Amino acid sequence: LLPQLLLRRRPAPAGAFALLARPASSASGGLPPLTTEIHPGIKRGAFSQLTDADLSAFEAIVGGDHVIKDADEVLSYNIDWLRICRGQGQLVLRPKTTEEVSAIVRHCNKRRLAVVPQGGNTGLVGGSVPLFDEIVISTSRMNSLLSIDPVSGVLVAEAGCVLEQLDREAASQGLMMPLDLGAKGSCQIGGNLATNAGGLRLLRYGSLRGTTLGLEAVLPTGQVLDCLTTLRKDNTGYDIKQLLIGSEGTLGIITKAAILCPARPKSVQLAFLGLDSFQAVLDTYRLARRSLGEILSAFEFIDSESMRAVKQNLGLSCPLGEHSFYVLAETSGSNETHDREKLDGFIESVMSMDGCATDGTVAQDAGQFAHLWSLRERIVESLLVDGYEYKYDVSLPLADIYRLVEHMRTRLDGRVIRTAGYGHLGDGNLHLNFTTPKFDAKVLELIEPHVFDWVRDRRGSVSAEHGLGLKKSQYIRHSKADFAVRVMAEVKRLLDPNGIMNPYKVLPDE
């Protein structure tokens, strides 16, 4: 049994996770290439050009201080967090109210000016940055928490509220946000909803589709859609808000949301295990579900290449020796004694079972808790240090998840710095990553569409949680039937007849 189990563990507070720090520049220096250079086949739509009259109209709506046109200031809104997309937008608007958003969008629709809604800009598929000269509408000033009901657990907030700040406010009422992401220190709830962000604890708390009770949004015509109910049961017709959740800003701009927050756990425990095969990872997960049951809140796996990246590139230390795989198993409950006994029993079983974990530790305090989670949450950051990152987010049957990593490692042998795989085993979500010193078109040709074809042939999804954005829009039919895509296109045409809202994203270019 682990020596650490002999010590009394204190529950670490939720929200103790390390935050992702956006790199100041790419490893190769300078700006990333223009997205249009990487995707030369995409042509600018038949949209109008920005005029001085448009600028005057926008200044009258939001005030001159919130109309950003200086090229240096606009640049950061044109580049995504991964630094793999760079647009050519010339204008950023920062409205404060739903009414201002409505007025902006109404003007843009009338003038056929394309727009891109942008929250914290932490997306990973190029969905939140311009491609050509689309106008960026930033929700960062729409950051008011409107209400928290400690009895029902319903929180109502504007779209620009940062996720971590909302979680702190919820904590003051004994609640927690049902979503937790590595980028929670900068991502905004509106963007989380627009991408239907999954996160680390979907296993326990489900997706935003289930915890979002109501939304307010501005549609592409400028009309305000008010579905901001706080009721848990409302069986009156179509659930229109679900069209906005996961639409990635192509059907409208979310301005307010009502979220159902679960009670904040009084006891949070975290085990970190070392394993020597992916089958051992699967066996450990099966045992965790059986042993930990209702208190299991996260089950993440990390492969050895991902662990090497955080150690070599970020200087983080791993408390365990070298293993092929590592697992983070977290529990959240209301009774520390009960939860600790269940976790101890699980660890004793997994350590004594042949072919499962061979090493492990348990977080003793908040500092260790945060450090262990940082080994998982900062993998993306560590891979960026290599240079250019090709990032894929897929879901597959559990038996196939790591087979894809092994297959691609063989396919790309000698052409990349590393092939790394990690993810949310509890919901079948693999994050597959490759790195090179700089963007290499030949490497991309070896990856795409091969990865998507491999996933399709095993009836997986080409996007488990990051969305389609620009990078995957042409592969939507790998996961959706042709008729379903046609229905989506009809919905887009109905709500956005001029096609101004986040063009070139989600739906394929026909």
Side-chain angles (χ1 to χ4, degrees):
L1 200 60
L2 304 181
Q4 289 87 345
L5 292 179
L6 301 178
L7 303 176
R8 175 178 173 77
R9 295 190 300 276
R10 296 192 301 276
F17 305 104
L19 303 180
L20 291 175
R22 180 173 179 163
S25 62
S26 65
S28 57
L31 296 174
L34 288 171
T35 310
T36 52
E37 295 173 357
I38 297 176
H39 301 280
I42 303 177
K43 305 303 179 184
R44 185 182 184 277
F47 300 112
S48 300
Q49 301 281 349
L50 193 66
T51 66
D52 289 341
D54 294 321
L55 292 175
S56 296
F58 296 140
E59 288 173 352
I61 295 170
V62 300
D65 291 343
H66 303 295
V67 175
I68 303 173
K69 51 197 177 195
D70 177 78
D72 290 337
E73 291 186 68
V74 172
L75 181 61
S76 65
Y77 294 88
N78 270 306
I79 300 176
D80 69 333
W81 186 86
L82 282 177
R83 296 184 62 83
I84 59 175
C85 293
R86 178 162 66 98
Q88 302 167 68
Q90 302 167 12
L91 184 69
V92 177
L93 304 177
R94 301 177 67 242
K96 179 63 177 174
T97 67
T98 300
E99 291 72 25
E100 290 180 0
V101 175
S102 176
I104 291 169
V105 174
R106 189 179 301 112
H107 177 90
C108 290
N109 187 58
K110 182 178 179 180
R111 284 272 296 117
R112 295 183 69 93
L113 293 166
V115 302
V116 175
Q118 188 177 109
N121 198 17
T122 59
L124 300 172
V125 289
S128 61
V129 293
L131 180 62
F132 295 101
D133 57 349
E134 301 90 85
I135 297 167
V136 175
I137 301 178
S138 169
T139 57
S140 59
R141 293 179 64 228
M142 304 176 68
N143 55 6
S144 296
L145 173 63
L146 302 178
S147 66
I148 303 179
D149 186 339
V151 178
S152 67
V154 178
L155 176 150
V156 181
E158 290 185 320
C161 289
V162 173
L163 179 60
E164 185 177 45
Q165 294 173 346
L166 287 181
D167 190 58
R168 288 174 179 167
E169 295 290 345
S172 68
Q173 302 297 325
L175 304 171
M176 66 178 289
M177 291 296 289
L179 174 69
D180 198 325
L181 303 172
K184 65 185 174 184
S186 53
C187 67
Q188 298 174 11
I189 191 62
N192 297 150
L193 290 161
T195 57
N196 189 32
L200 301 167
R201 293 178 179 79
L202 188 142
L203 174 66
R204 173 69 175 274
Y205 300 110
S207 73
L208 284 172
R209 291 194 183 278
T211 55
T212 302
L213 303 180
L215 288 180
E216 177 191 84
V218 174
L219 299 183
T221 57
Q223 294 172 294
V224 177
L225 177 70
D226 185 357
C227 295
L228 196 63
T229 179
T230 60
L231 302 175
R232 295 191 68 175
K233 300 184 77 173
D234 179 10
N235 197 15
T236 52
Y238 306 135
D239 193 356
I240 302 297
K241 72 175 182 294
Q242 293 295 345
L243 284 176
L244 278 298
I245 299 173
S247 68
E248 302 184 55
T250 61
L251 299 181
I253 302 176
I254 294 170
T255 51
K256 295 185 180 75
I259 308 292
L260 181 63
C261 299
R264 202 169 196 88
K266 297 179 180 178
S267 167
V268 182
Q269 314 287 336
L270 182 64
F272 184 62
L273 307 172
L275 309 97
D276 294 325
S277 70
F278 192 70
Q279 184 58 51
V281 174
L282 296 177
D283 292 342
T284 300
Y285 174 57
R286 180 183 180 189
L287 182 61
R289 292 184 63 194
R290 186 168 66 243
S291 303
L292 301 175
E294 79 287 351
I295 64 171
L296 181 63
S297 53
F299 194 95
E300 302 285 309
F301 83 93
I302 305 168
D303 73 357
S304 58
E305 197 62 63
S306 301
M307 184 61 71
R308 273 192 286 273
V310 295
K311 291 194 296 184
Q312 293 172 354
N313 292 348
L314 300 182
L316 299 185
S317 61
C318 176
L320 306 182
E322 294 289 332
H323 294 278
S324 299
F325 297 92
Y326 303 85
V327 156
L328 285 158
E330 183 194 81
T331 66
S332 302
S334 59
N335 186 305
E336 181 183 357
T337 301
H338 168 268
D339 297 352
R340 187 171 66 247
E341 288 176 353
K342 293 194 76 167
L343 185 63
D344 289 354
F346 159 69
I347 294 176
E348 184 174 5
S349 297
V350 81
M351 293 292 289
S352 62
M353 182 180 296
D354 289 340
C356 280
T358 57
D359 194 7
T361 187
V362 176
Q364 307 297 321
D365 52 38
Q368 291 182 14
F369 188 88
H371 178 72
L372 290 177
W373 267 115
S374 72
L375 295 172
R376 162 64 179 86
E377 290 187 315
R378 298 186 69 185
I379 293 173
V380 177
E381 181 186 352
S382 71
L383 293 171
L384 286 172
V385 177
D386 283 349
Y388 190 90
E389 181 178 359
Y390 312 77
K391 185 169 184 57
Y392 299 85
D393 154 59
V394 301
S395 58
L396 286 160
L398 293 183
D400 288 323
I401 280 184
Y402 206 72
R403 290 173 186 166
L404 176 56
V405 182
E406 294 170 332
H407 170 74
M408 292 305 298
R409 187 170 285 144
T410 299
R411 181 177 174 86
L412 297 176
D413 184 39
R415 295 179 177 269
V416 297
I417 296 173
R418 69 179 91 233
T419 298
Y422 62 94
H424 320 294
L425 196 70
D427 48 48
N429 184 179
L430 169 69
H431 295 305
L432 175 64
N433 305 267
F434 316 97
T435 61
T436 54
K438 60 182 180 179
F439 173 71
D440 188 328
K442 292 183 179 179
V443 169
L444 184 61
E445 289 176 2
L446 286 171
I447 298 172
E448 297 182 16
H450 186 79
V451 162
F452 301 129
D453 293 343
W454 200 96
V455 170
R456 176 201 58 200
D457 293 344
R458 287 151 185 83
R459 300 186 64 82
S461 172
V462 298
S463 177
E465 64 178 356
H466 294 165
L468 295 165
L470 173 72
K471 291 174 62 180
K472 299 182 182 180
S473 61
Q474 301 305 311
Y475 299 104
I476 187 173
R477 289 188 176 89
H478 278 56
S479 300
K480 289 289 187 292
D482 184 69
F483 182 65
V485 177
R486 284 158 51 197
V487 170
M488 293 180 198
E490 288 298 322
V491 171
K492 169 72 171 174
R493 279 190 284 270
L494 174 65
L495 296 181
D496 187 9
N498 290 325
I500 67 163
M501 192 65 67
N502 213 8
Y504 324 109
K505 316 291 174 58
V506 180
L507 291 175
D509 180 5
E510 303 296 354

